[in-house]
Amino acid sequence: MLDGKKILFSGMQATGSLHIGNYLGALKNWVSLSNDYECFYSVVDMHSITIRQDPQELRNNARNILMIYIAAGLDPIKNCIYYQSHVPAHAELSWILNCFTYMGELNRMTQFKDKSSKHDTNINVGLYTYPVLQAADILLYQADAVPVGKDQLQHLELCRDVAHRFNAIYGDVFTIPEPSLGKAGAKIRSLQEPTKKMSKSDENLNAAIFLLDDRDTIIRKFKKAVTDNFANIKYDAENQPGIANLMDIYAVLGEKTIAQVESEFAGKGYGDFKLAVGETVADALKPFRERFYELKEDKAYIDTIIKNNAEKAAYTANKTLRKVQKKIGFPISN
């Protein structure tokens, strides 16, 4: 605990542009969680290089994502918002935890299998040991809670297993983190293939609504969203996944129930509904975009946040790292 509050850790990779699925499934939830926890929100740029990145693009993406955190409503004074690569303890603890993680455990990680099939020309060791670095991210800050989607539960379970194993040998060194599952709106689907999750790496730019898209682009993308031939605005995720996806987005951003959405559009066509969803999303993202571009102009302010929060993160992380190093027998410098 810090200052009487439980600790929470989470982060996003510094690749691509964040979309409304990232906002509704994570960022929006992070803002509410920051009232109840002492929060560490990382831009996990070290994780990003398991796939080859253009150096300048990676730096730009990392800075943009950090500013997006703030524009979304995360107070950078109240919350520790920082770059993973600015805290060397992440890499140092990751190596130590590698020595307490079994090959069989990593062989069972389904995300490694999925990513290997997509990047078969670059199946590197970092891709394989990614979950160990993720465990180090979490355990460094003695996190009590980690907001995760179902696709990350396996990695968190590995983190818990490794922490239990280390504690069984050396005593209560690590806090055992618990999952904090996302709330409604966490499963935003592709606008072009609504049976799949919305993805920032989708080659079809019409499939995702990016947080920095302008109003006209947002409305145009929703007008092109794939629906069906039923011409019936009813929530049926199995038979009408496209309409169900649009209803989820409209309900969450419009703060309405699905029943209210169905009633509002009873007897109306898909064209009217798509336009309404597009306008609602554009209106909801307008203050966010304006705040983002204000932050982008204030380079000195962002640079100060980056420096101060890196120091804050490193102070907390290094306390855990020193404790671990002492426990396993590394020489301690004076």
Side-chain angles (χ1 to χ4, degrees):
M1 283 193 177
L2 284 175
D3 298 327
K5 282 186 175 182
K6 288 187 174 182
I7 299 168
L8 180 142
F9 174 89
S10 196
M12 291 185 185
Q13 285 201 41
T15 54
S17 300
L18 298 186
H19 52 67
I20 58 169
N22 301 127
Y23 174 70
L24 296 177
L27 278 172
K28 192 170 184 287
N29 193 37
W30 288 6
V31 174
S32 60
L33 288 169
S34 67
N35 295 321
D36 302 318
Y37 291 90
E38 184 74 26
C39 298
F40 291 84
Y41 291 125
S42 181
V43 177
V44 288
D45 47 353
M46 291 169 65
H47 283 293
S48 302
I49 64 169
T50 57
I51 298 169
R52 294 285 180 267
Q53 304 293 333
D54 175 86
Q56 189 56 49
E57 187 175 315
L58 179 62
R59 278 189 286 271
N60 290 341
N61 282 340
R63 191 176 181 92
N64 283 346
I65 290 173
L66 185 139
M67 290 188 292
I68 282 172
Y69 286 0
I70 300 171
L74 290 173
D75 184 339
I77 306 301
K78 181 180 176 182
N79 303 283
C80 187
I81 300 171
Y82 71 101
Y83 294 142
Q84 181 189 31
S85 63
H86 282 192
V87 183
H90 284 264
E92 294 182 59
L93 183 59
S94 180
W95 168 249
I96 294 170
L97 295 184
N98 271 321
C99 301
F100 291 84
T101 305
Y102 300 140
M103 293 283 289
E105 291 172 319
L106 292 181
N107 287 338
R108 290 193 291 272
M109 296 294 106
T110 57
Q111 280 209 341
F112 172 71
K113 297 172 186 176
D114 293 342
K115 289 186 177 182
S116 296
S117 65
K118 295 176 182 176
H119 304 280
D120 57 359
T121 61
N122 183 28
I123 304 175
N124 56 72
V125 175
L127 192 64
Y128 184 66
T129 60
Y130 179 108
V132 184
L133 177 56
Q134 196 171 49
D137 298 339
I138 296 164
L139 298 177
L140 270 177
Y141 300 96
Q142 303 292 351
D144 298 280
V146 182
V148 292
K150 289 183 179 179
D151 59 336
Q152 288 292 329
L153 277 175
Q154 189 185 41
H155 286 180
L156 182 59
E157 200 53 47
L158 175 68
C159 172
R160 288 166 51 84
D161 289 343
V162 173
H164 276 300
R165 184 174 300 138
F166 193 95
N167 286 354
I169 299 170
Y170 298 109
D172 293 331
V173 176
F174 295 123
T175 299
I176 307 300
E178 296 288 341
S180 172
L181 297 176
K183 298 178 182 179
K187 293 183 179 179
I188 302 304
R189 303 292 179 176
S190 163
L191 298 186
Q192 295 298 309
E193 295 183 79
T195 56
K196 298 180 180 179
K197 282 179 65 176
M198 187 174 285
S199 171
K200 58 184 178 180
S201 60
D202 199 313
E203 293 182 1
N204 186 342
L205 296 180
N206 289 318
I209 301 296
F210 299 107
L211 296 179
L212 298 179
D213 281 346
D214 60 44
R215 184 179 186 86
D216 289 344
T217 300
I218 291 170
I219 292 174
R220 175 178 54 78
K221 287 183 178 181
F222 275 109
K223 285 181 177 179
K224 292 184 176 182
V226 170
T227 50
D228 51 59
N229 296 319
F230 292 100
N232 185 21
I233 302 173
K234 291 287 184 183
Y235 195 88
D236 184 347
E238 182 175 351
N239 297 307
Q240 295 178 266
I243 286 297
N245 186 42
L246 297 185
M247 292 176 76
D248 280 332
I249 295 169
Y250 187 72
V252 174
L253 287 178
E255 299 183 344
K256 299 178 181 181
T257 65
I258 293 297
Q260 286 173 326
V261 177
E262 289 181 340
S263 176
E264 181 179 347
F265 291 94
K268 294 184 179 179
Y270 285 173
D272 290 338
F273 180 52
K274 288 182 181 181
L275 179 60
V277 179
E279 289 178 339
T280 297
V281 172
D283 289 344
L285 293 183
K286 182 182 177 183
F288 163 83
R289 286 195 306 276
E290 290 175 347
R291 176 60 176 148
F292 174 85
Y293 286 110
E294 286 175 3
L295 292 167
K296 193 169 185 178
E297 291 297 314
D298 198 344
K299 184 177 183 297
Y301 171 72
I302 295 300
D303 287 346
T304 299
I305 292 300
I306 291 169
K307 179 179 182 296
N308 291 346
N309 280 352
E311 292 172 355
K312 179 181 177 181
Y315 175 79
T316 302
N318 287 335
K319 285 198 297 184
T320 296
L321 182 62
R322 284 193 295 270
K323 187 175 182 179
V324 169
Q325 290 170 332
K326 184 176 181 180
K327 288 288 186 180
I328 64 175
F330 284 178
I332 305 299
S333 60
N334 295 323

